[in-house]
Amino acid sequence: MTTLFLHKNILKRGERTSSGRASRLLLQAARLNGESVYELTGAHRDGLLEAEAHARLQKYGPNQVAHEKPPAWYVLLWRSFANPFNGVLAALAIASLFLDVLLVAPEERSWRTILVLTTMITVSGMLRFFQEFRSNRAAEALKAMVRTRATVSRRQQGVITRREVPIEELVPGDIVHLSAGDMIPADVRLLTSKDLFVSQSILTGESIPVEKFDTLANVVEKSANDTADSAGNVLELRNVGFMGTSVVSGTATAVVVATGADTYFGSMAKHLIGHRAQTSFDRGVNAVSWLLIKFMFVMVPIVFAINAATKHNVLDALLFSLSVAVGLTPEMLPMIVTANLARGAIAMSRKKCIVKRLNAIQNFGAMNILCTDKTGTLTRDKVVLERYIDLYGRPNPEVLYYTFLNSYHQTGLKNLLDVAVLEHVELHEKLDITRHYEKVDEIPFDFNRRRMTVVLEKDHETRLLICKGAVEEVLSVCTHVDLGAQCADTPVVPMTAQWREKALQLAAEMNAEGLRTVAVAYREAPADDTIYRVADERELVLAGFVGFLDPPKEDAAAAIQALQAHGVTVKVLTGDSDVIARNVCKQVGLPVDAIVLGRDIEHLDDAALGELAERTTIFAKLTPTQKARIIRALQQRGHTVGYLGDGINDAAALRDADVGISVDTGTDIAKESADIIMLEKDLMVLEEGILEGRNTFGNIIKYIKMTASSNFGNVFSVLVASAFIPFLPMLPIHLLVQNLLYDFSQTMIPFDRVDPEYLQKPRKWYAGDIGRFMVLIGPISSIFDITTYALMWYVFQANSVERQTLFQSGWFVEGLLSQTLIVHMIRTQKIPFLQSRATWPVMTATFMIMAIGIVLPFTPAGAALRMQPLPASYFPWLAATLLAYCVLAQIAKTLYIRKFQMWL
C-alpha cells in the first residue's frame, strides 16, 4: 500500500500540487500495470463504493480548477468610480463644500459647483458599471449553457451501476468510461482502449489528434527519467488522458488519477488568477490624467496669487481660483471615455462579440501586433482530406476511390481521418457502392501493424483487398506499384528499390508540408477464402498516398491581409510543430522564411527576446509560459499587443495581452482570461473591432484635446485679465455655467465619426503630445479673448467696477462661442464644414449651445447670474472675432500638422 500512501500524501486536502508534482504522479501512473494503478489510486476494477466516493469528495474537494470569478457587484461598482480624475473632481467638490457652503453666510451659499461635479462623477461611474456588469453576466450565461457530465462505474450494496455524474463529483479512484465526443473529465490512466484518438490541441496546440492506448510498452522512452517535470514529456504519454482534452474517436475505460487543481490543467489554471497587469489603455489614460492634473496644480496657485495681490480679497481670489480649477479640469473626461467605450461595446455586440472589459475597445484600436494561436483560430480545427496522389505526385481519383471503399466498409468506430474521407459523399453515388460492392471480411487496425484492411467482392465476381495505414508499414507488404492510367501499357510494375525510395521521398515531402500522410494499397484476393488474416496482407500494389490537414479558415488570408492593411502585424504563437505551422502560415500569406522554436528562446533574456520577437513572424513548439513571455517582451518594447486563442494553453497569453480575444467554443479558462469573446469564428470581426477601437479612441482624444487646449487658453486669458483689470473678468458662477454649457455640447462626441484616414493605423496615447497641443493651440483662443477685453474696455466702455457686468457678459458669450466652435476645428485635420462635417448629433448640440449662449444674457436666468443684455453693435464684432478665430486656428492646425505629422 506504499504507492496509495504516497498518492494520498501528495494529494491530501489543502495541498495543491505544482505542475511538477502533477507530472511526476502521472509519470508514475503511466509506468504501472493495471493492478498497480488500482493500488496507487485506491480504486476497484468495478468502481468505487458510493460511500467511499462521497468520503473522497469531502477529502479532495470538488473536481474544479481554479478560475477567475467575475467580481461582485460592489467590487465592480468601486472599480467603476476609482480613477485619478474622479478623485480630483471629488476633492474639488469637497473644497467647494467648505468654500461655497460651510464657510459663507446662509444667503450666499451655493450648491451649484458641488451638484455639477457630483453629477459628472455619478454619470460616468454608473455608465461604466452597468455596461461591464451586463457584459460579465452575458459571459457567465455563456458558461452556464454547458454542464459537463462523466460516465462512471460505482458500487452500492453489491450492485455495480454505470451512471452519469457531474464532473465536479469525480474523485481519484473513479472508473470512467470514455467515447467519441466526451471531454476527459480529470487526469486519467487508461485501462482499456479501442481506436482511441484524443485531441490535445487546447493543451499543446497540435491540430492532429494523438493515438492513445492502454499498454505500457508505448510510454515514451524519455519519460523514464524520474526527474522529468517538463510539460513536453508528460503530454507525450500515450496511456494517460488529460483533463480538458476531448475524445475524437474510439472508446476507453480509465481510472482517475488526479482531480481539480491537482490535474495538469489545474496546475496551469491556478497561476492565471489574481491581479492583472496594466494594459496600454490603463497606462495611457493615467499618463494623460496626471499630466492634466499637474497643469491644474501649477496654474491654480498662480491665478490665486495674482488675484489676491491685485484685488486685495483673499476669499474672492480663493473662490475664483477654485472655479478656475474646475474650469481647467476636464471633468467630463470619465463620462466621455466611458460613453465612448460603452458605445463601442454595443457596436461590437451587434457583431456577435461580448466585450467583458470596456477598456479593451480602445486597446483594440491601439493594437499594432496581433499574436494568434494557430489551431482553431487560423485553422478550422477540423481535419480534411487535402490530397490524393499516385507515385508521380499527380492527383489520382483511383487512390481516393480505394481510400473511400476502405473507410466506408470499416466496422467499429471511425477515426478522424475516416470521417474526413467519408465527407466525400459524392463517391458513394459515383461508385454505386451498395450495388457493386459487398463486404467479405475485415482485418482490424492495431498499433503494432498500424494499418487496417477490408476485403470486398465486386459485382459478385472478383474480390478486392484494400489496405491503408502508416507509410512504412504499408510499404513493407507491397511488392508492386500502380503507376496510374497514364501508363496504360504497364500500369503495374514491381516495387524496386528506386520506386521504394521515390515513395518514401514523396511521403516525406507531404509530411514537410504539414500533411498527415496515409498509404493506400490493394490486390485481388482469393475468391474461395471466407476468413482473412494479417498474413493475407502481402504482395500488395501501392496505389498512392492520401494527405490530411487541418486547413486554414476560408476567411483567414483575407482577415490577415485586412489587418496588415490597417497597420497590424500578425504573428503566430503555436504549440504545434514548425512543419505544420509553416504550411498553414504560407497558405494564409504570412512570411515563413524564419521560424523560431520554443527551445530556441529559453536562454534569451527579455531584451533579446523582445528584439527577436519583433522580427519573427512564426514561433512553434511553444509552451503556455513561453507564449505569455513573448507577449510581455513585445509590450516592453512599446507595442500594444493583442492575442487570439481558445485553448487552455492560451490562457496565460490572453491574460497578459493588452486585449485578449477568445471564442464562445473556447475553454472556460480561455474565456475567463479574455477581454472579448467572439460568438462566431469570423476573423473579419477582428478588422471591425480594430476600426471600432480607433473610432472610439479618436472621439476620446478629440474631447481631451478640445477641453485641454480650450481650458488652458481660458486660464491663460484669466491670468492676463487678472493682471490688468481691476475686477474679476468673469464671476465664478459664470465660469461654472460656461463650463457646464460647453461640456453639454460635447456629450454628443461619442456619436461622432472620425476621418477615414485616421482609421488606417494604430492609435495610442501620447501624453507628451497632449501637453504640447495644450500649450501651442490653447493660447490661440486667448488672442481673441484679449481682443474681446479690448473691445469691451475701449469700444463699449466697460472699464469700471460699475460696468463690470457688461464686460463679463461680453466675454462670457465670446468665450463660450469660441470654445464651442473649437469642437469643429479640432475634430478633424481637414477644413471643417467643407472637407469634413461632424455628425448631426454633434452639429445640433454645438449650435444649440451657441444659441443658448447668445440668448442667455437677455433672459431672467441671465439676470439671476448677474449678466446684462448686450448691445446690437456687439454682435458684428462677435462674428468678425469668431471668423478670424477660425481662420487663425486653421492656419495653426496646418502648421502643427506639418511640424509634428499628427493632429489627433
Side-chain angles (χ1 to χ4, degrees):
M1 296 299 290
T2 304
T3 53
L4 177 58
F5 177 79
L6 171 64
H7 177 271
K8 289 181 177 178
N9 274 275
I10 291 177
L11 300 181
K12 63 185 177 180
R13 190 180 183 187
E15 179 183 333
R16 292 311 187 190
T17 63
S18 67
S19 58
R21 287 179 179 174
S23 299
R24 285 193 291 272
L25 182 61
L26 289 172
L27 286 168
Q28 182 182 4
R31 299 190 199 112
L32 298 176
N33 59 30
E35 290 300 325
S36 298
V37 171
Y38 288 138
E39 185 180 353
L40 173 71
T41 58
H44 188 281
R45 66 177 59 253
D46 295 327
L48 295 174
L49 291 168
E50 287 287 357
E52 176 64 16
H54 180 74
R56 293 190 185 193
L57 184 62
Q58 297 299 313
K59 181 174 184 178
Y60 299 123
N63 181 30
Q64 295 174 329
V65 298
H67 63 93
E68 189 170 13
K69 297 179 180 179
W73 68 267
Y74 48 86
V75 175
L76 192 60
L77 186 65
W78 165 251
R79 292 178 185 173
S80 299
F81 284 91
N83 62 65
F85 259 106
N86 278 345
V88 171
L89 296 182
L92 290 175
I94 293 171
S96 177
L97 177 65
F98 282 94
L99 296 174
D100 291 344
V101 179
L102 300 180
L103 301 180
V104 298
E107 61 276 8
E108 295 180 5
R109 288 176 180 172
S110 172
W111 293 87
R112 294 187 186 92
T113 303
I114 299 172
L115 182 63
V116 170
L117 295 175
T118 53
T119 299
M120 294 300 101
I121 295 172
T122 303
V123 170
S124 64
M126 294 307 294
L127 189 60
R128 174 178 288 268
F129 169 73
F130 283 120
Q131 183 62 40
E132 292 200 355
F133 182 73
R134 185 171 60 181
S135 295
N136 278 319
R137 288 192 63 180
E140 286 299 300
L142 201 62
K143 279 173 52 179
M145 290 171 62
V146 179
R147 283 288 179 260
T148 309
R149 303 177 73 84
T151 303
V152 300
S153 291
R154 292 274 176 87
R155 293 178 292 145
Q156 189 169 18
Q157 297 179 347
V159 178
I160 302 171
T161 60
R162 181 182 295 189
R163 63 186 185 87
E164 288 188 347
V165 299
I167 64 168
E168 293 82 4
E169 297 179 10
L170 284 183
V171 295
D174 258 328
I175 304 297
V176 296
H177 305 275
L178 305 171
S179 59
D182 287 348
M183 184 190 83
I184 296 181
D187 282 355
V188 300
R189 163 66 157 86
L190 300 179
L191 301 173
T192 65
S193 65
K194 180 178 180 181
D195 301 335
L196 185 66
F197 283 79
V198 174
S199 172
Q200 295 188 160
S201 62
I202 62 169
L203 288 176
T204 65
E206 294 180 358
S207 55
I208 302 296
V210 295
E211 304 169 41
K212 295 281 186 177
F213 28 78
D214 55 272
T215 56
L216 284 174
N218 292 291
V219 176
V220 290
E221 291 298 325
K222 59 184 175 182
S223 295
N225 184 355
D226 285 335
T227 62
D229 292 335
S230 73
N233 284 351
V234 175
L235 291 173
E236 291 173 14
L237 294 171
R238 293 297 183 89
N239 59 356
V240 167
F242 299 92
M243 183 181 194
T245 60
S246 56
V247 178
V248 174
S249 64
T251 59
T253 302
V255 60
V256 174
V257 177
T259 59
D262 302 317
T263 62
Y264 182 81
F265 171 21
S267 68
M268 294 170 58
K270 66 183 179 181
H271 298 297
L272 298 172
I273 57 176
H275 182 69
R276 288 173 174 264
Q278 281 195 331
T279 67
S280 171
F281 177 89
D282 301 322
R283 293 188 295 270
V285 78
N286 284 341
V288 170
S289 298
W290 287 113
L291 171 74
L292 298 177
I293 291 168
K294 288 173 185 176
F295 264 97
M296 185 185 69
F297 283 139
V298 169
M299 298 298 291
V300 169
I302 295 175
V303 172
F304 171 75
I306 292 175
N307 272 277
T310 57
K311 310 301 183 295
H312 308 293
N313 189 323
V314 175
L315 183 59
D316 281 351
L318 191 60
L319 288 172
F320 187 72
S321 61
L322 177 65
S323 300
V324 168
V326 175
L328 191 60
T329 304
E331 67 271 13
M332 291 277 287
L333 180 60
M335 195 192 82
I336 292 291
V337 168
T338 303
N340 272 288
L341 295 175
R343 183 175 177 276
I346 292 169
M348 291 301 293
S349 71
R350 297 192 189 103
K351 298 176 176 67
K352 303 292 184 68
C353 290
I354 295 175
V355 180
K356 291 173 56 187
R357 297 176 183 88
L358 285 184
N359 296 353
I361 292 291
Q362 192 275 316
N363 287 331
F364 228 154
M367 178 177 69
N368 68 322
I369 294 178
L370 174 65
C371 296
T372 175
D373 184 31
K374 175 187 66 66
T375 306
T377 50
L378 293 182
T379 66
R380 300 181 202 170
D381 200 14
K382 175 186 177 183
V383 175
V384 299
L385 196 159
E386 185 79 5
R387 196 175 302 172
Y388 42 91
I389 58 175
D390 57 24
L391 260 64
Y392 283 108
R394 301 170 301 202
N396 189 334
E398 292 290 328
V399 178
L400 180 58
Y401 297 161
Y402 287 130
T403 308
F404 189 87
L405 289 169
N406 178 287
S407 296
Y408 181 83
H409 289 98
Q410 167 188 344
T411 58
L413 293 167
K414 293 174 170 55
N415 64 35
L416 208 61
L417 306 185
D418 292 311
V419 172
V421 171
L422 295 176
E423 285 189 350
H424 289 264
V425 291
E426 74 281 358
L427 295 180
H428 189 286
E429 183 176 345
K430 186 170 184 177
L431 296 173
D432 200 357
I433 289 179
T434 54
R435 178 179 176 186
H436 294 293
Y437 294 93
E438 183 180 345
K439 181 176 177 180
V440 177
D441 200 4
E442 174 180 350
I443 308 172
F445 179 90
D446 67 59
F447 290 101
N448 293 322
R449 309 176 7 258
R450 299 183 65 201
R451 57 181 185 260
M452 74 82 53
T453 299
V454 296
V455 181
L456 310 176
E457 188 169 84
K458 183 178 181 181
D459 296 327
H460 303 289
E461 294 178 359
T462 59
R463 290 192 178 180
L464 192 63
L465 184 148
I466 305 174
C467 175
K468 77 174 190 300
V471 172
E472 292 187 359
E473 279 71 7
V474 172
L475 281 176
S476 68
V477 292
C478 289
T479 56
H480 290 78
V481 177
D482 188 338
L483 300 180
Q486 296 182 14
C487 302
D489 296 336
T490 54
V492 177
V493 298
M495 172 73 78
T496 62
Q498 289 80 6
W499 280 118
R500 182 178 296 276
E501 182 64 28
K502 184 175 179 62
L504 290 172
Q505 181 181 352
L506 184 60
E509 290 173 356
M510 293 176 68
N511 289 334
E513 294 180 36
L515 295 167
R516 181 165 181 171
T517 307
V518 173
V520 182
Y522 69 93
R523 75 174 175 93
E524 287 192 11
D528 53 348
D529 287 356
T530 56
I531 298 177
Y532 292 83
R533 299 175 175 82
V534 173
D536 292 305
E537 294 177 330
R538 56 185 171 79
E539 299 177 0
L540 304 186
V541 179
L542 181 64
F545 301 110
V546 288
F548 300 86
L549 186 69
D550 179 11
K553 293 178 178 177
E554 293 82 355
D555 60 348
I560 289 173
Q561 189 175 7
L563 292 174
Q564 291 172 336
H566 287 95
V568 179
T569 301
V570 178
K571 298 182 183 292
V572 175
L573 312 183
T574 180
D576 211 343
S577 72
D578 55 324
V579 171
I580 294 176
R582 182 189 300 273
N583 180 54
V584 171
C585 292
K586 186 176 181 181
Q587 291 185 63
V588 299
L590 291 173
V592 295
D593 47 343
I595 297 180
V596 175
L597 302 182
R599 64 171 179 266
D600 300 329
I601 68 174
E602 280 297 317
H603 65 284
L604 298 179
D605 59 26
D606 290 343
L609 177 59
E611 184 179 347
L612 176 66
E614 280 187 324
R615 64 174 188 267
T616 302
T617 301
I618 307 170
F619 291 85
K621 299 297 287 183
L622 295 176
T623 66
T625 304
Q626 288 171 336
K627 288 184 180 184
R629 189 174 168 227
I630 291 170
I631 298 288
R632 293 193 298 271
L634 288 169
Q635 289 171 330
Q636 289 170 7
R637 295 183 69 86
H639 297 286
T640 301
V641 187
Y643 188 82
L644 173 63
D646 60 357
I648 298 168
N649 61 331
D650 298 315
L654 285 166
R655 185 179 176 84
D656 285 344
D658 292 297
V659 53
I661 311 157
S662 190
V663 294
D664 67 326
T665 54
T667 59
D668 282 350
I669 193 170
K671 289 184 286 190
E672 288 167 1
S673 302
D675 303 300
I676 295 174
I677 302 173
M678 298 193 302
L679 300 182
E680 293 180 356
K681 288 189 176 183
D682 179 5
L683 293 179
M684 296 307 294
V685 170
L686 296 175
E687 180 194 15
E688 296 172 353
I690 285 170
L691 296 180
E692 193 65 50
R694 290 177 188 174
N695 189 79
T696 297
F697 179 73
N699 286 334
I700 292 172
I701 210 71
K702 282 177 196 176
Y703 171 78
I704 292 175
K705 288 192 171 181
M706 289 170 190
T707 306
S709 61
S710 178
N711 290 358
F712 181 76
N714 285 348
V715 173
F716 192 79
S717 301
V718 167
L719 282 173
V720 173
S722 299
F724 299 102
I725 297 173
F727 50 82
L728 290 176
M730 201 183 296
L731 297 178
I733 188 61
H734 295 161
L735 281 174
L736 290 175
V737 172
Q738 186 186 73
N739 205 42
L740 183 62
L741 289 171
Y742 174 61
D743 283 342
F744 182 81
S745 73
Q746 294 184 309
T747 56
M748 293 296 107
I749 286 177
F751 301 95
D752 196 17
R753 54 176 168 259
V754 298
D755 296 331
E757 297 82 0
Y758 187 83
L759 301 175
Q760 295 307 306
K761 63 180 183 179
R763 301 292 172 177
K764 298 177 66 175
W765 295 93
Y766 294 106
D769 175 64
I770 293 172
R772 180 177 63 203
F773 193 95
M774 287 171 59
V775 173
L776 296 181
I777 302 300
I780 294 174
S781 66
S782 298
I783 294 173
F784 296 95
D785 286 340
I786 293 170
T787 62
T788 301
Y789 296 163
L791 175 71
M792 301 307 297
W793 188 272
Y794 294 108
V795 176
F796 294 102
Q797 301 299 309
N799 50 17
S800 64
V801 175
E802 292 75 17
R803 303 199 67 191
Q804 66 176 312
T805 55
L806 179 60
F807 184 100
Q808 292 161 347
S809 300
W811 188 38
F812 175 89
V813 174
E814 183 274 334
L816 177 63
L817 267 61
S818 61
Q819 256 191 317
T820 307
L821 198 59
I822 201 67
V823 169
H824 296 277
M825 302 302 300
I826 290 180
R827 65 165 295 277
T828 175
Q829 65 181 13
K830 300 177 181 179
I831 300 175
F833 305 113
L834 299 179
Q835 295 178 333
S836 177
R837 286 192 300 274
T839 56
W840 282 112
V842 176
M843 299 270 277
T844 301
T846 53
F847 288 126
M848 183 177 70
I849 292 301
M850 292 173 73
I852 292 173
I854 292 172
V855 172
L856 186 61
F858 297 88
T859 65
L865 294 172
R866 294 164 66 181
M867 293 184 187
Q868 73 176 66
L870 295 163
S873 57
Y874 166 84
F875 292 99
W877 288 101
L878 176 64
T881 299
L882 295 178
L883 179 62
Y885 178 42
C886 289
V887 172
L888 184 58
Q890 186 64 36
I891 294 171
K893 182 198 300 184
T894 303
L895 295 174
Y896 188 95
I897 294 171
R898 188 177 299 168
K899 171 70 175 176
F900 301 110
Q901 301 299 311
M902 65 184 303
W903 182 242
L904 290 180

